[in-house]
Amino acid sequence: IQTISHLNSIIYSAAETIIVTDKDFRISIVNPTVSRLLEYSADELQNSHIQLIFPEDLLSDIQFKIQQESSLKIKTELGTKSGSKCPVLISASPISKNQDSIDGFIFLILDTSEEQKHEKELELAAKKANLASQAKSAFVANMSHEVRTPMNAIIGMTGLLLDTELSKEQTDYTETIRNSSDALLSVINDILDFSKIEAGKLDMEIINFQLQTTISDVIDLLSVKAEQKQLELIWHVNDDVPTQL
């Protein structure tokens, strides 16, 4: 008797809704938490068939699955007394005094409305983030194309200019313009590559290059700024450093 009393105390003090039925699904025990979840009082459900709160298709599904499994969990919605819907997770297990027969069932019902609300918020946030990412990628790709067009014109014009008669100083300036334009075009291409990375469409490659030529191009880009600050920018590569990499 003390064991039964202690068990009833556990059921009635549980934060989750617990319903115990006989083998015909008639409710024998229900804790007061059900009133907060489904708006029915424990007295209203006592001795009632569980179909009062479980839809017929759900009950049929539970009857079928519980014969195949020792216990089961189902995410569904239950109707409240006022007619609203409450998302829940139902855990169902048979009660047996021996393995040959089922004497009843015990149901643990968890309110998942907050969890569902959180999932919807995460889903909405993910959609917004995805749309923002797509808009950013489209903007970056579009602007990169818009900038690349005049850069190609600048590179083409400086190439034509270098084919004319220029002084050594003019040639140096023009070559710096072309090299700077090439570098800027390379940056624009990198931006497009970044967009490809986001889209998962970037192809990587390993290519040969000349170290001294690369350093010389970089120095040409920086030399104008250095001269404006009255600085002399020089560079040196040791003889033992390979030039072909």
Side-chain angles (χ1 to χ4, degrees):
I1 295 174
Q2 288 181 348
T3 303
I4 294 173
S5 176
H6 180 62
L7 181 59
N8 286 338
S9 297
I10 293 173
I11 292 174
Y12 278 89
S13 61
E16 298 81 11
T17 296
I18 298 176
I19 298 176
V20 180
T21 73
D22 60 16
K23 62 181 181 180
D24 297 319
F25 294 99
R26 192 163 293 278
I27 298 171
S28 56
I29 300 173
V30 58
N31 62 354
T33 314
V34 71
S35 61
R36 185 175 70 246
L37 182 67
L38 301 176
E39 302 171 1
Y40 290 97
S41 68
D43 291 337
E44 286 179 295
L45 295 178
Q46 194 75 36
N47 297 321
S48 298
H49 196 279
I50 202 170
Q51 197 168 339
L52 179 64
I53 55 175
F54 282 11
E56 186 176 350
D57 56 343
L58 172 62
L59 188 57
S60 299
D61 192 27
I62 290 174
Q63 285 177 301
F64 173 76
K65 288 183 178 179
I66 213 161
Q67 292 175 356
Q68 315 296 323
E69 309 168 30
S70 58
S71 62
L72 61 91
K73 290 185 178 181
I74 297 176
K75 274 190 174 183
T76 185
E77 286 185 338
L78 294 180
T80 66
K81 187 177 180 181
S82 63
S84 60
K85 295 292 184 180
C86 179
V88 295
L89 173 64
I90 301 174
S91 299
S93 301
I95 301 172
S96 302
K97 293 179 181 178
N98 56 66
Q99 295 181 349
D100 298 329
S101 63
I102 294 177
D103 300 302
F105 302 91
I106 183 168
F107 299 92
L108 178 65
I109 306 175
L110 299 176
D111 183 359
T112 60
S113 54
E114 285 299 320
E115 177 187 340
Q116 193 176 80
K117 179 182 176 183
H118 184 58
E119 287 177 354
K120 287 181 179 179
E121 288 174 351
L122 288 176
E123 184 179 347
L124 181 61
K127 285 182 179 179
K128 287 182 178 179
N130 187 43
L131 289 174
S133 178
Q134 290 177 354
K136 182 192 70 176
S137 297
F139 173 77
V140 169
N142 183 60
M143 288 305 297
S144 298
H145 283 295
E146 293 293 332
V147 175
R148 188 159 57 174
T149 300
M151 287 308 305
N152 282 323
I154 293 172
I155 293 171
M157 289 299 109
T158 52
L160 293 175
L161 186 59
L162 285 170
D163 290 337
T164 63
E165 293 185 4
L166 300 173
S167 66
K168 176 136 185 351
E169 185 178 10
Q170 289 173 328
T171 300
D172 289 340
Y173 289 158
T174 306
E175 286 180 345
T176 300
I177 293 172
R178 185 172 66 175
N179 291 337
S180 298
S181 300
D182 286 336
L184 183 55
L185 186 60
S186 177
V187 171
I188 294 169
N189 288 330
D190 287 342
I191 294 173
L192 287 174
D193 287 341
F194 179 75
S195 298
K196 290 179 181 178
I197 291 173
E198 288 192 318
K201 298 179 179 179
L202 181 68
D203 295 325
M204 303 296 289
E205 64 177 356
I206 298 176
I207 60 173
N208 299 325
F209 71 98
Q210 290 187 338
L211 178 63
Q212 292 187 6
T213 302
T214 301
I215 294 177
S216 177
D217 290 343
V218 173
I219 295 299
D220 286 343
L221 296 177
L222 300 176
S223 60
V224 176
K225 285 289 184 182
E227 288 178 8
Q228 289 175 353
K229 298 179 181 181
Q230 297 182 339
L231 297 173
E232 183 181 9
L233 190 60
I234 59 176
W235 61 282
H236 171 74
V237 178
N238 288 335
D239 294 336
D240 58 347
V241 176
T243 59
Q244 298 291 332
L245 300 173

